[in-house]
Amino acid sequence: MTTLDTRVFLALSSHRGYSDFVKLSEKKRIALVLSGGGVKAAAFHIGACLALREKGFKFAGGSDPKDGLEFEGKELTFRVYVGSSAGSVVATFLANGHSLDAIIDAFTRGAGLAALTRAKKSSDDPYLKPIGYRDIFALNFGAGHPTRLLPRIFRRKVSVSGGLEASLKEAFKINGIFSTRNMEKYMRTHVCPGNDFKKLGAELYIVATQLNHSRKVVFGPYPETLKTREIQFVDYAKISEAVAASAALPPFFAPYGIRDPKGREIFYFDGEIRDTLSTHVAADQGCDLVIASYSIQPYHYVEEMGSLHEYGMPLIFNQALYQVVQRKIETHIKHQHDVRAMIKAMQGYMREKQIGEEHISKLTEILIERTHFNPAVDYIYIHPQPQDYEFFFYDHFSLNTKVLGNIVKTGFKSAMNTLRAYNI
């Protein structure tokens, strides 16, 4: 057991308020974890980052490892970024050293003629090429492209012996309406000069899911390719490829293929399938503070809007998906709090019974090992409020400047409300 662990255990026993215990200015290695949810989530994350900047946080990054040196010794600095799906896009912007102002400019000018009038970025231009719909939505011209759907249906009679589900499976053999290949090109051409995880001014980890397996994959600057039963750690992909893989949301976006060192094409899709918040990735890399931003918040009934059954299938589907995702997040957070409370209760009981500190330390070590809990890591979660029904109704892929502005404001307010509990 380390001295730091011992201090944490003592603090767990003597502090009443968790937010009072977490002293952010003392944290040495801070990570930012960003979840998925389309352009809506990206805008929410940007708003949260603006609030973090307002509170004194800094964002290390750059296209060269030397770029990170200017942040050495500075407090409240993000040095590790973890992103899934849309979160991987924002995380990649930040890890490559692009400012929040440049990111906002790229999104807000992405709609309309701005994407055409500033298509080429000059060497002295501090801003990014606007990101437009064509960069997000590329029609999928692969073997399963929807334009080949109707000819297949009329070309042969579909067998109904297996029932309706079998008929649909036979007729709708599409692997996605759109492809993320344009997103890969945008990131490679305009965002990631070196396009190499190991050559950034900060650490970047991108989460995806392997299509033909049951494990998640974490792309990042690993010294070698590691593999566990549930997680594969990959170091051979380009950053832009990892983003395209993580952002391939089924059934709208086709799985994205990446070739491994043996030349095999392995397909990946959305990084949120297995885990909604991969905060463990940051903790595994030695971070002692993990700030996670997620935009998923189910609708709570308000009389002004009424019941969702009146708004049709898309919003009902969104609500069902949000409920599933929120449950996963709540389970993850509850596990952390439960283990922390269990350790605190055990320590208090054993001290009350005057059990020796060496026995308390040993039992604490056993509990930590068995529960995979790291008491040296603190977590802060930023998310919308359930009463914010307007946020729920916003489109996930709108580049309308007014909509984006409102979503950014929601992210900013949500982060500020969360950070008020901490002394910074």
Side-chain angles (χ1 to χ4, degrees):
M1 181 177 306
T2 66
T3 303
L4 177 59
D5 288 339
T6 303
R7 290 207 312 268
V8 172
F9 300 150
L10 292 172
L12 284 170
S13 301
S14 59
H15 282 74
R16 296 179 62 187
Y18 176 61
S19 61
D20 293 333
F21 166 66
V22 181
K23 297 186 182 301
L24 303 187
S25 60
E26 295 180 358
K27 296 299 180 178
K28 303 299 182 185
R29 188 166 164 81
I30 306 177
L32 183 63
V33 178
L34 305 176
S35 72
V39 176
K40 179 179 179 179
F44 181 87
H45 297 327
I46 291 170
C49 288
L50 287 172
L52 289 165
R53 186 177 69 178
E54 182 77 12
K55 286 292 186 178
F57 283 86
K58 305 169 188 64
F59 301 86
S63 57
D64 189 289
K66 294 180 181 178
D67 295 332
L69 297 178
E70 65 177 284
F71 295 93
E72 289 296 327
K74 293 184 178 181
E75 295 180 350
L76 300 178
T77 299
F78 292 107
R79 305 181 190 281
V80 177
Y81 301 95
V82 181
S84 297
S85 194
S88 72
V89 176
V90 178
T92 299
F93 277 123
L94 295 172
N96 278 273
H98 299 289
S99 69
L100 289 174
D101 296 326
I103 299 171
I104 292 172
D105 182 83
F107 276 99
T108 55
R109 291 191 298 114
L113 297 176
L116 301 176
T117 58
R118 266 181 83 118
K120 190 171 181 181
K121 175 177 176 287
S122 64
S123 58
D124 58 349
D125 186 354
Y127 291 98
L128 290 155
K129 173 187 176 294
I131 181 168
Y133 286 113
R134 67 180 62 184
D135 299 306
I136 301 172
F137 298 101
L139 281 176
N140 178 23
F141 292 108
H145 184 251
T147 58
R148 306 188 183 189
L149 171 61
L150 292 178
R152 181 187 295 114
I153 293 176
F154 290 110
R155 187 168 57 246
R156 60 185 179 185
K157 185 177 180 180
V158 178
S159 171
V160 296
S161 60
L164 178 61
E165 182 180 355
S167 302
L168 291 174
K169 287 179 179 177
E170 179 65 24
F172 290 88
K173 286 186 176 178
I174 338 172
N175 60 17
I177 302 172
F178 303 103
S179 165
T180 54
R181 67 176 183 274
N182 282 4
M183 176 59 69
E184 187 280 328
K185 180 180 178 181
Y186 177 89
M187 302 302 286
R188 168 170 40 89
T189 306
H190 304 288
V191 181
C192 313
N195 210 11
D196 189 335
F197 283 98
K198 297 178 181 179
K199 295 181 179 179
L200 294 176
E203 292 181 34
L204 172 65
Y205 300 90
I206 294 176
V207 182
T209 306
Q210 190 171 333
L211 175 65
N212 298 306
H213 206 282
S214 57
R215 64 176 170 233
K216 71 190 241 181
V217 177
V218 182
F219 298 97
Y222 296 102
E224 58 184 6
T225 300
L226 307 173
K227 185 184 295 185
T228 66
R229 184 173 63 87
E230 296 182 347
I231 303 175
Q232 184 178 21
F233 303 93
V234 174
D235 70 338
Y236 54 75
K238 297 295 185 182
I239 297 174
S240 58
E241 294 177 330
V243 172
S246 183
L249 173 66
F252 306 105
F253 292 92
Y256 190 86
I258 300 176
R259 295 197 178 277
D260 68 7
K262 295 182 180 179
R264 299 173 300 186
E265 187 173 24
I266 302 176
F267 287 89
Y268 304 93
F269 59 166
D270 194 278
E272 305 267 275
I273 299 298
R274 293 283 296 181
D275 286 317
T276 303
L277 282 177
S278 293
T279 53
H280 73 88
V281 176
D284 293 343
Q285 300 307 313
C287 295
D288 55 0
L289 175 63
V290 179
I291 298 181
S293 172
Y294 63 92
S295 63
I296 298 299
Q297 179 60 59
Y299 170 78
H300 286 199
Y301 180 88
V302 291
E303 190 171 350
E304 182 179 351
M305 297 304 298
S307 172
L308 287 179
H309 83 276
E310 300 174 350
Y311 290 90
M313 188 182 299
L315 286 173
I316 294 174
F317 174 79
N318 285 347
Q319 176 75 345
L321 179 62
Y322 277 25
Q323 290 176 346
V324 171
V325 171
Q326 186 198 37
R327 179 58 181 167
K328 290 167 63 177
I329 294 174
E330 287 179 344
T331 300
H332 168 75
I333 296 174
K334 185 176 183 298
H335 170 74
Q336 294 173 341
H337 288 308
D338 286 350
V339 173
R340 188 180 293 272
M342 178 180 63
I343 294 176
K344 181 178 179 180
M346 177 274 297
Q347 293 173 332
Y349 176 79
M350 295 187 74
R351 289 189 178 109
E352 181 182 337
K353 296 300 181 181
Q354 297 183 347
I355 306 296
E357 287 295 327
E358 67 277 7
H359 297 295
I360 297 177
S361 287
K362 184 61 181 177
L363 182 55
T364 303
E365 281 188 76
I366 294 173
L367 289 174
I368 288 174
E369 182 179 353
R370 297 291 178 87
T371 58
H372 305 289
F373 174 71
N374 188 343
V377 185
D378 292 302
Y379 300 86
I380 297 176
Y381 298 93
I382 299 170
H383 59 87
Q385 297 302 309
Q387 297 80 13
D388 191 351
Y389 60 85
E390 291 183 351
F391 184 81
F392 176 85
F393 280 87
Y394 285 134
D395 290 342
H396 288 84
F397 290 97
S398 173
L399 288 177
N400 179 282
T401 54
K402 183 178 180 180
V403 171
L404 287 177
N406 288 336
I407 295 174
V408 168
K409 290 178 182 177
T410 300
F412 182 87
K413 292 178 180 178
S414 299
M416 293 297 283
N417 289 335
T418 299
L419 295 171
R420 284 195 184 100
Y422 302 89
N423 296 320
I424 56 172

